[in-house]
């Protein structure tokens, strides 16, 4: 009697497994198929976005450069391009690849969603600036254009993302590319940073560590074969030509005054007082509002008082109150006129 029952149970289990694997739309194979289709769509959209970026900046694009950008093999890219061509999104001009009008429209939608989401993270959340691009890389494939448009409307329809890139309009219009790489400036030239490339991540991380941001003025001090030296906010910076080429600048008249050099709050030692000059453009959203609520605004005095056992955070006294500020936040606060506090001695 036990054997027929066991056979029945095993049969039911087998049927259940078959249903789980082959059930239309919700079975394992259907789900795996959706994952493959989703991954394929992400690759296709990333390719369109890369092609648009090349065309926008006047850079020729071929199979090898596209494959390198997406970190896939040339054979995989050839198949992707063939698929895009069949969809009427790209055409081949010799060895170069160009977007069709339909392909450009598709790419602009992806770019718009990406840059709106970056701006949303920068202005409306406490997400760190190093994470903006990665988060937007995910949302550009998941967020609909209608949802992105509603978010943009709530923010007042911003024209630029936090890296200085223009956000395409709802009609798919975008201003022409302007500026030149920092690496192309000659010694003595003055310029203003208009864009900092957020890819590759290791380059963006290094540029962020230097405190560089769109709107900052730079002065080219020295240009050598493997080293470019420039002043930014009065501080001397040194980059390789590769890293300097990731910074787009707009040349300014030589008569344009260079901003004075400022120090960072993280440099303030215990019992030292300074005047607050401002907060970096990279400090945005909830984090910026929190600091301003504490009194971190231009003109106020601030004193370093207490240092935790680990050295981070540090207690700062401002407007009669002691607040704790982490080093990564203190790096985004500019100060000047540092003075040593004079303590009264008892008689």
């Amino acid at each position: 009697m036990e054997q027929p029952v066991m056979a029945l149970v095993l049969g039911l289990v087998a049927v259940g497994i078959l249903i789980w694997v082959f059930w239309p739309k919700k079975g394992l194979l259907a789900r795996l198929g959706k994952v493959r289709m989703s991954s394929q769509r992400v690759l296709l959209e990333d390719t369109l976005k890369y092609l648009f970026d090349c065309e926008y900046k006047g850079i020729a694009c071929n199979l090898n450069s596209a494959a390198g950008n997406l970190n896939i093999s040339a054979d995989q890219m050839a198949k992707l391009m063939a698929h895009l061509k069949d969809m009427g999104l790209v055409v081949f001009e010799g060895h170069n690849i160009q977007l069709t009008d339909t392909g450009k429209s598709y790419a602009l939608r992806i770019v718009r969603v990406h840059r709106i989401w970056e701006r949303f993270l920068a202005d409306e959340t406490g997400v760190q600036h190093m994470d903006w691009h990665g988060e937007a890389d995910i949302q550009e494939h998941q967020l609909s254009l209608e949802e992105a448009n509603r978010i943009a409307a709530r923010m007042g329809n911003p024209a630029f993302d936090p890296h200085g890139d223009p956000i395409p309009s709802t009609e798919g219009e975008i201003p022409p590319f302007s500026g030149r790489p920092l690496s192309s400036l000659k010694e003595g030239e003055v310029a203003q940073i208009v864009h900092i490339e957020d890819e590759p991540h290791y380059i963006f991380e290094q540029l962020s560590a230097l405190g560089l941001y769109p709107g900052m003025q730079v002065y080219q001090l020295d240009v050598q074969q493997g080293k470019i030296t420039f002043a930014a906010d009065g501080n001397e910076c040194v980059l390789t030509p590769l890293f300097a080429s990731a910074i787009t600048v707009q040349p300014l008249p030589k008569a344009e005054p260079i901003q004075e050099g400022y120090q960072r709050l993280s440099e303030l030692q215990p019992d030292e007082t300074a005047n607050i000059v401002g907060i970096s453009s990279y400090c945005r959203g909830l984090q910026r509002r929190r600091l301003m609520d504490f009194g971190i605004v231009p003109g106020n005095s601030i004193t370093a008082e207490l240092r935790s056992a680990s050295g981070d955070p540090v207690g700062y006294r401002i407007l009669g109150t002691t607040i704790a500020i982490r080093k990564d936040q203190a790096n985004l606060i500019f100060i000047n006129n540092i003075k040593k506090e004079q303590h009264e001695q008892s008689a």
Side-chain angles (χ1 to χ4, degrees), residues 42-54:
V42 168
L43 278 175
L44 289 173
E45 291 180 349
D46 283 346
T47 303
L48 291 174
K49 189 173 67 169
Y50 173 70
L51 291 173
F52 169 77
D53 190 61
C54 289

Side-chain angles (χ1 to χ4, degrees), residues 286-300:
L286 297 177
Q287 184 181 16
R288 189 181 190 92
R289 288 197 287 271
R290 176 178 174 272
L291 292 175
M292 294 178 71
D293 288 342
F294 283 143
I296 307 296
V297 295
N300 281 345

Side-chain angles (χ1 to χ4, degrees), residues 179-257:
R180 46 194 272 213
L182 174 65
S183 54
S184 71
L185 291 182
K186 298 178 181 179
E187 292 179 16
E189 284 193 294
V190 180
Q192 184 176 51
I193 297 176
V194 295
H195 168 71
I196 295 179
E197 188 61 51
D198 46 21
E199 289 184 321
H201 186 270
Y202 70 93
I203 291 183
F204 180 57
E205 188 173 21
Q206 176 63 33
L207 300 179
S208 296
L210 291 175
L212 304 175
Y213 57 86
M216 178 181 281
Q217 289 184 27
V218 295
Y219 178 79
Q220 199 80 311
L221 295 172
D222 186 40
V223 179
Q224 298 183 20
Q225 185 172 358
K227 183 175 70 172
I228 292 174
T229 306
F230 61 97
D233 272 353
N235 298 313
E236 185 175 299
C237 303
V238 179
L239 292 173
T240 65
L242 174 63
F243 280 65
S245 65
I247 303 172
T248 303
V249 298
Q250 193 71 49
L252 298 172
K254 288 190 176 181
E256 189 78 22

Side-chain angles (χ1 to χ4, degrees), residues 37-100:
M37 287 178 63
S38 176
S39 299
Q40 181 79 352
R41 181 172 65 83
V42 168
L43 278 175
L44 289 173
E45 291 180 349
D46 283 346
T47 303
L48 291 174
K49 189 173 67 169
Y50 173 70
L51 291 173
F52 169 77
D53 190 61
C54 289
E55 289 188 15
Y56 184 65
K57 296 177 179 177
I59 302 171
C61 175
N62 54 42
L63 281 177
N64 289 330
S65 64
N69 180 266
L70 270 70
N71 198 26
I72 61 175
S73 69
D75 288 341
Q76 287 176 295
M77 180 53 67
K79 293 178 181 178
L80 271 175
M81 287 297 181
H83 188 28
L84 289 172
K85 183 181 179 183
D86 291 340
M87 295 171 67
L89 301 176
V90 302
V91 293
F92 293 88
E93 298 287 343
H95 292 293
N96 294 329
I97 307 160
Q98 292 183 343
L99 292 170
T100 63

Side-chain angles (χ1 to χ4, degrees), residues 48-346:
L48 291 174
K49 189 173 67 169
Y50 173 70
L51 291 173
F52 169 77
D53 190 61
C54 289
E55 289 188 15
Y56 184 65
K57 296 177 179 177
I59 302 171
C61 175
N62 54 42
L63 281 177
N64 289 330
S65 64
N69 180 266
L70 270 70
N71 198 26
I72 61 175
S73 69
D75 288 341
Q76 287 176 295
M77 180 53 67
K79 293 178 181 178
L80 271 175
M81 287 297 181
H83 188 28
L84 289 172
K85 183 181 179 183
D86 291 340
M87 295 171 67
L89 301 176
V90 302
V91 293
F92 293 88
E93 298 287 343
H95 292 293
N96 294 329
I97 307 160
Q98 292 183 343
L99 292 170
T100 63
D101 289 342
T102 304
K104 183 178 179 181
S105 178
Y106 193 156
L108 281 167
R109 291 200 301 271
I110 302 167
V111 172
R112 176 170 169 80
V113 173
H114 181 104
R115 293 178 182 176
I116 286 173
W117 192 254
E118 282 191 322
R119 186 62 185 263
F120 170 75
L121 293 178
D123 292 357
E124 305 296 330
T125 74
V127 174
Q128 295 295 311
H129 70 273
M130 291 302 301
D131 298 325
W132 297 341
H133 182 72
E135 292 293 328
D137 267 345
I138 297 172
Q139 288 298 325
E140 69 186 25
H141 305 295
Q142 299 178 356
L143 200 67
S144 71
L145 184 60
E146 291 72 22
E147 290 171 321
N149 288 342
R150 286 195 290 269
I151 292 172
R154 289 201 299 269
M155 294 189 293
N157 292 311
F160 294 90
D161 74 4
H163 304 294
D165 284 323
I167 299 175
S169 69
T170 53
E171 293 78 22
E173 298 175 347
I174 189 169
F177 178 75
S178 63
R180 46 194 272 213
L182 174 65
S183 54
S184 71
L185 291 182
K186 298 178 181 179
E187 292 179 16
E189 284 193 294
V190 180
Q192 184 176 51
I193 297 176
V194 295
H195 168 71
I196 295 179
E197 188 61 51
D198 46 21
E199 289 184 321
H201 186 270
Y202 70 93
I203 291 183
F204 180 57
E205 188 173 21
Q206 176 63 33
L207 300 179
S208 296
L210 291 175
L212 304 175
Y213 57 86
M216 178 181 281
Q217 289 184 27
V218 295
Y219 178 79
Q220 199 80 311
L221 295 172
D222 186 40
V223 179
Q224 298 183 20
Q225 185 172 358
K227 183 175 70 172
I228 292 174
T229 306
F230 61 97
D233 272 353
N235 298 313
E236 185 175 299
C237 303
V238 179
L239 292 173
T240 65
L242 174 63
F243 280 65
S245 65
I247 303 172
T248 303
V249 298
Q250 193 71 49
L252 298 172
K254 288 190 176 181
E256 189 78 22
I258 298 295
Q259 299 170 356
E260 295 181 3
Y262 304 127
Q263 292 174 281
R264 302 177 189 277
L265 182 61
S266 56
E267 301 174 43
L268 201 64
Q269 299 301 310
D271 293 330
E272 287 185 341
T273 296
N275 293 332
I276 296 171
V277 176
I279 304 175
S280 168
S281 296
Y282 272 127
C283 183
R284 293 170 176 261
L286 297 177
Q287 184 181 16
R288 189 181 190 92
R289 288 197 287 271
R290 176 178 174 272
L291 292 175
M292 294 178 71
D293 288 342
F294 283 143
I296 307 296
V297 295
N300 281 345
S301 295
I302 188 167
T303 302
E305 285 198 336
L306 305 172
R307 193 178 296 275
S308 63
S310 63
D312 190 17
V314 172
Y316 296 93
R317 190 164 185 80
I318 183 169
L319 299 178
T321 302
T322 300
I323 61 174
I325 299 179
R326 300 191 310 271
K327 185 176 181 180
D328 61 338
Q329 294 175 313
N331 282 333
L332 300 174
I333 301 170
F334 300 119
I335 58 174
N336 63 8
N337 297 329
I338 296 178
K339 297 178 182 178
K340 189 75 173 178
E341 279 283 283
Q342 298 296 324
H343 294 285
E344 294 184 3
Q345 296 184 351
S346 57

